[in-house]
Amino acid sequence: MSISASAPRPVRAVGRLLVVTAAIAGLVAVFLAMLVLTDGAGGGLAAWGTVVVAGTAVALRRGGRRTGPARLVPFLPVALAAALTASVCIPTVPTARRYPPALPFVTAQHWKLSTGSRVAVYHYPPRDSGARHPVPLVYLNGGPMRGISLLDHRFLRLLARKGYDVYAYEQAGGGRSDLLPMSRYTIARSVRDLGAFVDRLGRGRVDVLGFSAGAVVLTRGLADPRVAGRLHRAVIAEPGPMDGPTARLTGHTGRPSARGLAPSPTGPRSTHVPRYAVAFGLMRLGLLSPGNGLIGQAEGDNAFTAADLGGDTASAYCARDAHRIPVEDTAENFSFSPAASLRIQQTVKDSASLAPRLRRSRTPAMLMIAECSSQVRRWETAVLATDPAVERTQYLPGVGHHLWNGLDDNNERAAAVITAFLQGARAPLPNYPTRADIPAFLSTGK
């Protein structure tokens, strides 16, 4: 863009500003492209160095045609672009993992599993001596790679008050559990960890309650004879896609959720910081790998906040609950590993069909489905259609993806459904949908 010397001074000033702005935008675009091409090598410094070298070379060529102080003008956009992109290369949180502090109501033990994972374990002994259930209950939380929320801890204590010996562990990389090298986060590793945890518990066969991503681990465990042989009964609550073919299924979800209706989450967001906005954004788009060189796993875990989940939290509640969504966790206890979560999800998408193995399952199972589920219905009905050992389905009205959410009597209703199945008692809700109901269930948009 050239500007005539005879043009009015304001026009020349605006023109020069546009030239500088375009030059900065071009250098920033080069920086982002190099970040992607180098996968963030050297904390982004490789991309930053390219911008500085390339911008300086162009500035020298342009400045060589000028005299006096005017020779320095082409270096202005280079300096500004270098300062702007440098903010993406500078950590603003510790780069070594900061684990959540101890909880006041339960002690987190740390167990080393035979797989090599070191996981945080929580134990809630049965509180009602008159109604103790002899089989231990193991809880697998959702995420994946999210710590167990205080809302979930409250529900686990409710189950303990009903006579259950409850154990929960945070999967490797989540909550207070130790991190793994990024390449070792796979859905297959999560399933092996479940089997290893039951072995380490040493109480024989166990009941397992798996929620969301935890339900995916449980479903895949049911298809693995080495793990399934350790399980007594299985509760599959609001599962995500169990394998690659299921992940590619599309269709409607449940009744409308509170996503887009609830107030925006409050609190600090890492995505308001250029470094993490760029890193998490490019990872989510698949342009940076989970194990990229821009931000390490520990730094990403430290930076990510509950507010960064955005509308994901609201999507776990019914639309009618939009303005009374409970606080699920505290800032101190919240923990989520975005890179490890993306890595786990990718290994699910890349996995072959689970159906041939799941059809051989013999472990008694129950499927729980929420009215306002944010999960694709075909993900949920795929489990019902494939696993012949699913004995009952419980469709819970008035709740979203987070079935036990502390609102009204939702915790008690969820607990009643779970305990009835584990005890082989009559279900509190109709067995719906059955396998025969699946086509109608999917067509009605329930």
Side-chain angles (χ1 to χ4, degrees), residues 123-129 131-133 137 153-167 415 419:
H123 181 208
Y124 293 105
R127 299 285 297 276
D128 187 344
S129 59
R132 292 197 173 196
H133 193 66
L137 175 60
H153 276 291
R154 284 196 288 272
F155 184 66
L156 299 180
R157 283 183 282 177
L158 171 61
L159 294 175
R161 289 196 298 272
K162 294 183 178 296
Y164 288 84
D165 197 9
V166 180
Y167 290 84
T419 57

mmCIF file of all heavy atoms in Angstrom, residues 123-129 131-133 137 153-167 415 419:
data_model
loop_
_atom_site.group_PDB
_atom_site.id
_atom_site.type_symbol
_atom_site.label_atom_id
_atom_site.label_comp_id
_atom_site.label_asym_id
_atom_site.label_seq_id
_atom_site.Cartn_x
_atom_site.Cartn_y
_atom_site.Cartn_z
ATOM 1 N N HIS A 123 -12.313 -43.157 50.498
ATOM 2 C CA HIS A 123 -13.094 -44.266 51.053
ATOM 3 C C HIS A 123 -14.161 -43.717 51.984
ATOM 4 O O HIS A 123 -13.863 -42.975 52.923
ATOM 5 C CB HIS A 123 -12.175 -45.227 51.822
ATOM 6 C CG HIS A 123 -12.905 -46.395 52.407
ATOM 7 N ND1 HIS A 123 -12.466 -47.037 53.551
ATOM 8 C CD2 HIS A 123 -14.046 -47.034 52.021
ATOM 9 C CE1 HIS A 123 -13.306 -48.018 53.841
ATOM 10 N NE2 HIS A 123 -14.269 -48.040 52.934
ATOM 11 N N TYR A 124 -15.409 -44.109 51.708
ATOM 12 C CA TYR A 124 -16.538 -43.763 52.579
ATOM 13 C C TYR A 124 -17.129 -45.059 53.119
ATOM 14 O O TYR A 124 -17.892 -45.730 52.418
ATOM 15 C CB TYR A 124 -17.596 -42.967 51.804
ATOM 16 C CG TYR A 124 -17.134 -41.597 51.373
ATOM 17 C CD1 TYR A 124 -16.792 -41.337 50.052
ATOM 18 C CD2 TYR A 124 -17.024 -40.568 52.297
ATOM 19 C CE1 TYR A 124 -16.359 -40.076 49.654
ATOM 20 C CE2 TYR A 124 -16.594 -39.297 51.913
ATOM 21 C CZ TYR A 124 -16.264 -39.069 50.590
ATOM 22 O OH TYR A 124 -15.836 -37.817 50.215
ATOM 23 N N PRO A 125 -16.778 -45.452 54.336
ATOM 24 C CA PRO A 125 -17.306 -46.700 54.911
ATOM 25 C C PRO A 125 -18.814 -46.605 55.106
ATOM 26 O O PRO A 125 -19.369 -45.510 55.229
ATOM 27 C CB PRO A 125 -16.582 -46.806 56.257
ATOM 28 C CG PRO A 125 -15.427 -45.863 56.176
ATOM 29 C CD PRO A 125 -15.859 -44.761 55.254
ATOM 30 N N PRO A 126 -19.483 -47.747 55.153
ATOM 31 C CA PRO A 126 -20.935 -47.731 55.354
ATOM 32 C C PRO A 126 -21.276 -47.125 56.705
ATOM 33 O O PRO A 126 -20.630 -47.407 57.717
ATOM 34 C CB PRO A 126 -21.326 -49.204 55.274
ATOM 35 C CG PRO A 126 -20.066 -49.958 55.537
ATOM 36 C CD PRO A 126 -18.953 -49.104 55.024
ATOM 37 N N ARG A 127 -22.320 -46.303 56.739
ATOM 38 C CA ARG A 127 -22.694 -45.612 57.970
ATOM 39 C C ARG A 127 -23.862 -46.271 58.676
ATOM 40 O O ARG A 127 -24.056 -46.090 59.870
ATOM 41 C CB ARG A 127 -23.067 -44.157 57.634
ATOM 42 C CG ARG A 127 -21.921 -43.360 57.013
ATOM 43 C CD ARG A 127 -20.893 -42.969 58.039
ATOM 44 N NE ARG A 127 -21.489 -42.098 59.033
ATOM 45 C CZ ARG A 127 -21.623 -40.792 58.884
ATOM 46 N NH1 ARG A 127 -21.222 -40.209 57.769
ATOM 47 N NH2 ARG A 127 -22.167 -40.060 59.834
ATOM 48 N N ASP A 128 -24.670 -47.028 57.947
ATOM 49 C CA ASP A 128 -25.858 -47.651 58.523
ATOM 50 C C ASP A 128 -25.564 -49.127 58.770
ATOM 51 O O ASP A 128 -25.592 -49.941 57.856
ATOM 52 C CB ASP A 128 -27.048 -47.492 57.573
ATOM 53 C CG ASP A 128 -28.352 -47.985 58.192
ATOM 54 O OD1 ASP A 128 -28.278 -48.703 59.204
ATOM 55 O OD2 ASP A 128 -29.416 -47.655 57.660
ATOM 56 N N SER A 129 -25.279 -49.485 60.017
ATOM 57 C CA SER A 129 -24.884 -50.850 60.341
ATOM 58 C C SER A 129 -26.017 -51.841 60.119
ATOM 59 O O SER A 129 -25.796 -53.043 59.983
ATOM 60 C CB SER A 129 -24.405 -50.927 61.790
ATOM 61 O OG SER A 129 -25.442 -50.499 62.671
ATOM 62 N N ALA A 131 -28.066 -51.964 57.502
ATOM 63 C CA ALA A 131 -28.383 -52.225 56.094
ATOM 64 C C ALA A 131 -27.124 -52.265 55.245
ATOM 65 O O ALA A 131 -27.088 -51.750 54.132
ATOM 66 C CB ALA A 131 -29.339 -51.157 55.573
ATOM 67 N N ARG A 132 -26.088 -52.878 55.770
ATOM 68 C CA ARG A 132 -24.817 -52.891 55.048
ATOM 69 C C ARG A 132 -24.881 -53.812 53.841
ATOM 70 O O ARG A 132 -25.370 -54.930 53.918
ATOM 71 C CB ARG A 132 -23.685 -53.332 55.985
ATOM 72 C CG ARG A 132 -23.399 -52.320 57.074
ATOM 73 C CD ARG A 132 -22.061 -52.566 57.720
ATOM 74 N NE ARG A 132 -21.727 -51.490 58.654
ATOM 75 C CZ ARG A 132 -20.508 -51.274 59.127
ATOM 76 N NH1 ARG A 132 -19.520 -52.072 58.781
ATOM 77 N NH2 ARG A 132 -20.278 -50.282 59.951
ATOM 78 N N HIS A 133 -24.361 -53.291 52.745
ATOM 79 C CA HIS A 133 -24.291 -54.072 51.518
ATOM 80 C C HIS A 133 -22.925 -54.757 51.490
ATOM 81 O O HIS A 133 -21.898 -54.095 51.649
ATOM 82 C CB HIS A 133 -24.461 -53.153 50.312
ATOM 83 C CG HIS A 133 -24.721 -53.880 49.035
ATOM 84 N ND1 HIS A 133 -25.869 -54.603 48.818
ATOM 85 C CD2 HIS A 133 -23.984 -54.004 47.901
ATOM 86 C CE1 HIS A 133 -25.830 -55.133 47.604
ATOM 87 N NE2 HIS A 133 -24.698 -54.784 47.022
ATOM 88 N N LEU A 137 -18.595 -50.804 46.584
ATOM 89 C CA LEU A 137 -19.040 -50.022 45.431
ATOM 90 C C LEU A 137 -17.931 -49.072 45.021
ATOM 91 O O LEU A 137 -17.466 -48.270 45.833
ATOM 92 C CB LEU A 137 -20.308 -49.243 45.776
ATOM 93 C CG LEU A 137 -20.834 -48.265 44.708
ATOM 94 C CD1 LEU A 137 -21.178 -49.004 43.415
ATOM 95 C CD2 LEU A 137 -22.037 -47.494 45.227
ATOM 96 N N HIS A 153 -18.786 -35.844 45.747
ATOM 97 C CA HIS A 153 -18.411 -36.353 47.071
ATOM 98 C C HIS A 153 -19.636 -36.413 47.988
ATOM 99 O O HIS A 153 -19.785 -37.360 48.780
ATOM 100 C CB HIS A 153 -17.328 -35.474 47.703
ATOM 101 C CG HIS A 153 -15.937 -35.821 47.268
ATOM 102 N ND1 HIS A 153 -15.309 -37.001 47.632
ATOM 103 C CD2 HIS A 153 -15.031 -35.149 46.507
ATOM 104 C CE1 HIS A 153 -14.091 -37.042 47.125
ATOM 105 N NE2 HIS A 153 -13.894 -35.924 46.436
ATOM 106 N N ARG A 154 -20.502 -35.416 47.903
ATOM 107 C CA ARG A 154 -21.709 -35.421 48.737
ATOM 108 C C ARG A 154 -22.606 -36.609 48.379
ATOM 109 O O ARG A 154 -23.209 -37.234 49.258
ATOM 110 C CB ARG A 154 -22.468 -34.098 48.585
ATOM 111 C CG ARG A 154 -21.831 -32.942 49.326
ATOM 112 C CD ARG A 154 -22.785 -31.767 49.472
ATOM 113 N NE ARG A 154 -23.009 -31.076 48.213
ATOM 114 C CZ ARG A 154 -22.248 -30.086 47.769
ATOM 115 N NH1 ARG A 154 -21.203 -29.664 48.479
ATOM 116 N NH2 ARG A 154 -22.529 -29.492 46.614
ATOM 117 N N PHE A 155 -22.703 -36.913 47.099
ATOM 118 C CA PHE A 155 -23.521 -38.051 46.687
ATOM 119 C C PHE A 155 -22.916 -39.369 47.158
ATOM 120 O O PHE A 155 -23.639 -40.289 47.563
ATOM 121 C CB PHE A 155 -23.676 -38.058 45.166
ATOM 122 C CG PHE A 155 -24.591 -39.134 44.657
ATOM 123 C CD1 PHE A 155 -25.948 -39.112 44.960
ATOM 124 C CD2 PHE A 155 -24.102 -40.174 43.882
ATOM 125 C CE1 PHE A 155 -26.797 -40.104 44.502
ATOM 126 C CE2 PHE A 155 -24.944 -41.170 43.413
ATOM 127 C CZ PHE A 155 -26.295 -41.136 43.725
ATOM 128 N N LEU A 156 -21.611 -39.484 47.112
ATOM 129 C CA LEU A 156 -20.956 -40.708 47.588
ATOM 130 C C LEU A 156 -21.197 -40.907 49.078
ATOM 131 O O LEU A 156 -21.401 -42.038 49.547
ATOM 132 C CB LEU A 156 -19.457 -40.654 47.287
ATOM 133 C CG LEU A 156 -19.066 -40.551 45.804
ATOM 134 C CD1 LEU A 156 -17.559 -40.505 45.651
ATOM 135 C CD2 LEU A 156 -19.659 -41.699 44.992
ATOM 136 N N ARG A 157 -21.207 -39.824 49.830
ATOM 137 C CA ARG A 157 -21.499 -39.930 51.263
ATOM 138 C C ARG A 157 -22.945 -40.358 51.496
ATOM 139 O O ARG A 157 -23.246 -41.084 52.454
ATOM 140 C CB ARG A 157 -21.202 -38.596 51.956
ATOM 141 C CG ARG A 157 -19.695 -38.371 52.186
ATOM 142 C CD ARG A 157 -19.427 -37.084 52.940
ATOM 143 N NE ARG A 157 -19.543 -35.932 52.055
ATOM 144 C CZ ARG A 157 -19.413 -34.678 52.461
ATOM 145 N NH1 ARG A 157 -19.219 -34.412 53.754
ATOM 146 N NH2 ARG A 157 -19.504 -33.683 51.598
ATOM 147 N N LEU A 158 -23.852 -39.935 50.624
ATOM 148 C CA LEU A 158 -25.238 -40.376 50.726
ATOM 149 C C LEU A 158 -25.321 -41.890 50.535
ATOM 150 O O LEU A 158 -26.029 -42.586 51.285
ATOM 151 C CB LEU A 158 -26.085 -39.657 49.674
ATOM 152 C CG LEU A 158 -27.535 -40.157 49.505
ATOM 153 C CD1 LEU A 158 -28.311 -39.990 50.803
ATOM 154 C CD2 LEU A 158 -28.226 -39.434 48.353
ATOM 155 N N LEU A 159 -24.595 -42.424 49.552
ATOM 156 C CA LEU A 159 -24.601 -43.867 49.329
ATOM 157 C C LEU A 159 -24.010 -44.603 50.523
ATOM 158 O O LEU A 159 -24.486 -45.682 50.896
ATOM 159 C CB LEU A 159 -23.822 -44.197 48.052
ATOM 160 C CG LEU A 159 -24.432 -43.694 46.741
ATOM 161 C CD1 LEU A 159 -23.501 -43.984 45.571
ATOM 162 C CD2 LEU A 159 -25.801 -44.320 46.499
ATOM 163 N N ALA A 160 -22.979 -44.020 51.138
ATOM 164 C CA ALA A 160 -22.396 -44.644 52.329
ATOM 165 C C ALA A 160 -23.406 -44.664 53.478
ATOM 166 O O ALA A 160 -23.465 -45.640 54.246
ATOM 167 C CB ALA A 160 -21.127 -43.904 52.744
ATOM 168 N N ARG A 161 -24.197 -43.619 53.600
ATOM 169 C CA ARG A 161 -25.218 -43.589 54.655
ATOM 170 C C ARG A 161 -26.292 -44.647 54.417
ATOM 171 O O ARG A 161 -26.998 -45.041 55.353
ATOM 172 C CB ARG A 161 -25.855 -42.199 54.738
ATOM 173 C CG ARG A 161 -24.941 -41.129 55.308
ATOM 174 C CD ARG A 161 -25.719 -39.891 55.741
ATOM 175 N NE ARG A 161 -26.420 -39.243 54.640
ATOM 176 C CZ ARG A 161 -25.879 -38.318 53.859
ATOM 177 N NH1 ARG A 161 -24.614 -37.934 54.055
ATOM 178 N NH2 ARG A 161 -26.595 -37.761 52.885
ATOM 179 N N LYS A 162 -26.403 -45.118 53.212
ATOM 180 C CA LYS A 162 -27.375 -46.161 52.898
ATOM 181 C C LYS A 162 -26.775 -47.553 53.022
ATOM 182 O O LYS A 162 -27.380 -48.544 52.581
ATOM 183 C CB LYS A 162 -27.939 -45.942 51.491
ATOM 184 C CG LYS A 162 -28.780 -44.662 51.382
ATOM 185 C CD LYS A 162 -29.379 -44.486 50.015
ATOM 186 C CE LYS A 162 -30.248 -43.238 49.953
ATOM 187 N NZ LYS A 162 -31.424 -43.315 50.844
ATOM 188 N N GLY A 163 -25.588 -47.639 53.600
ATOM 189 C CA GLY A 163 -24.988 -48.934 53.893
ATOM 190 C C GLY A 163 -23.971 -49.437 52.897
ATOM 191 O O GLY A 163 -23.531 -50.585 52.990
ATOM 192 N N TYR A 164 -23.553 -48.597 51.961
ATOM 193 C CA TYR A 164 -22.580 -49.035 50.957
ATOM 194 C C TYR A 164 -21.157 -48.669 51.371
ATOM 195 O O TYR A 164 -20.917 -47.586 51.914
ATOM 196 C CB TYR A 164 -22.915 -48.439 49.586
ATOM 197 C CG TYR A 164 -24.132 -49.092 48.984
ATOM 198 C CD1 TYR A 164 -25.405 -48.654 49.326
ATOM 199 C CD2 TYR A 164 -24.011 -50.176 48.143
ATOM 200 C CE1 TYR A 164 -26.538 -49.274 48.818
ATOM 201 C CE2 TYR A 164 -25.131 -50.811 47.629
ATOM 202 C CZ TYR A 164 -26.389 -50.361 47.973
ATOM 203 O OH TYR A 164 -27.503 -50.993 47.477
ATOM 204 N N ASP A 165 -20.244 -49.587 51.094
ATOM 205 C CA ASP A 165 -18.825 -49.353 51.345
ATOM 206 C C ASP A 165 -18.251 -48.761 50.060
ATOM 207 O O ASP A 165 -17.946 -49.491 49.109
ATOM 208 C CB ASP A 165 -18.137 -50.670 51.695
ATOM 209 C CG ASP A 165 -16.786 -50.465 52.349
ATOM 210 O OD1 ASP A 165 -16.450 -49.321 52.693
ATOM 211 O OD2 ASP A 165 -16.054 -51.465 52.524
ATOM 212 N N VAL A 166 -18.136 -47.449 50.027
ATOM 213 C CA VAL A 166 -17.877 -46.733 48.777
ATOM 214 C C VAL A 166 -16.403 -46.377 48.635
ATOM 215 O O VAL A 166 -15.795 -45.795 49.549
ATOM 216 C CB VAL A 166 -18.728 -45.449 48.702
ATOM 217 C CG1 VAL A 166 -18.455 -44.710 47.403
ATOM 218 C CG2 VAL A 166 -20.212 -45.773 48.845
ATOM 219 N N TYR A 167 -15.861 -46.705 47.476
ATOM 220 C CA TYR A 167 -14.503 -46.307 47.113
ATOM 221 C C TYR A 167 -14.577 -45.510 45.813
ATOM 222 O O TYR A 167 -15.358 -45.837 44.912
ATOM 223 C CB TYR A 167 -13.602 -47.525 46.889
ATOM 224 C CG TYR A 167 -13.259 -48.289 48.140
ATOM 225 C CD1 TYR A 167 -14.122 -49.253 48.643
ATOM 226 C CD2 TYR A 167 -12.073 -48.041 48.828
ATOM 227 C CE1 TYR A 167 -13.818 -49.959 49.799
ATOM 228 C CE2 TYR A 167 -11.757 -48.749 49.980
ATOM 229 C CZ TYR A 167 -12.637 -49.701 50.455
ATOM 230 O OH TYR A 167 -12.325 -50.388 51.602
ATOM 231 N N ALA A 415 -30.124 -42.176 43.972
ATOM 232 C CA ALA A 415 -29.668 -43.214 44.898
ATOM 233 C C ALA A 415 -30.659 -44.370 44.952
ATOM 234 O O ALA A 415 -30.259 -45.542 45.023
ATOM 235 C CB ALA A 415 -29.461 -42.620 46.290
ATOM 236 N N THR A 419 -29.440 -48.133 44.207
ATOM 237 C CA THR A 419 -29.472 -49.140 45.277
ATOM 238 C C THR A 419 -30.453 -50.266 44.964
ATOM 239 O O THR A 419 -30.192 -51.435 45.285
ATOM 240 C CB THR A 419 -29.820 -48.494 46.627
ATOM 241 O OG1 THR A 419 -31.083 -47.817 46.527
ATOM 242 C CG2 THR A 419 -28.757 -47.484 47.038
#
